[in-house]
Amino acid sequence: QVQLVESGGGLVQAGGSLRLSCAASGSIASINRMGWYRQTPGKQRELVAAIITSGGSTKYADSVKGRFTISRDNTENTVYLQMNSLKPEDTAVYYCNAEQLRFGILRDYWGPGTQVTVSS
């Protein structure tokens, strides 16, 4: 099992910045990808950004390119999401995700989520 704990959410004015952190613990071997998703009421959870744990290649949703940056600290088993130039439409619950391929089985793990609210 992998446990994920997010932190860093909160209330910020439009144009401001927040930094989310996600700490992974437990059976973290073979986690090949970590990412951030977000969800608003009535909508599907959507990918915001993802990073490959070895190599560090990244992927971003078009809506956040140039404003958000995902990074990792493998020594701390932590992934970060730096969010700049925040907009009201970025308001959502943000979830950390870890994808693990172990013994030929692909598993997804999720954190409990952290609320990000951007006021106009």
Side-chain angles (χ1 to χ4, degrees):
Q1 291 287 332
V2 173
Q3 292 80 46
L4 302 172
V5 178
E6 303 105 338
S7 61
L11 173 64
V12 65
Q13 286 189 330
S17 298
L18 282 174
R19 188 193 196 205
L20 305 183
S21 300
C22 173
S25 62
S27 301
I28 59 173
S30 304
I31 291 177
N32 55 286
R33 190 184 93 150
M34 292 188 72
W36 289 94
Y37 288 70
R38 66 187 181 188
Q39 189 170 23
T40 54
K43 292 190 176 181
Q44 281 193 326
R45 194 171 294 187
E46 63 172 1
L47 175 69
V48 176
I51 186 166
I52 302 300
T53 52
S54 61
S57 62
T58 58
K59 177 179 180 179
Y60 295 92
D62 288 343
S63 59
V64 307
K65 282 180 182 176
R67 301 188 297 122
F68 292 11
T69 303
I70 189 170
S71 61
R72 77 204 192 287
D73 183 339
N74 288 343
T75 62
E76 297 290 335
N77 301 315
T78 300
V79 172
Y80 304 96
L81 184 68
Q82 178 67 43
M83 305 185 293
N84 298 328
S85 303
L86 282 160
K87 305 175 181 180
E89 51 263 44
D90 294 317
T91 296
V93 178
Y94 284 70
Y95 296 91
C96 180
N97 167 264
E99 181 185 273
Q100 183 184 56
L101 180 60
R102 198 176 186 195
F103 307 123
I105 299 173
L106 190 66
R107 285 193 176 96
D108 273 306
Y109 295 94
W110 296 92
T114 184
Q115 176 71 46
V116 171
T117 303
V118 184
S119 63
S120 57

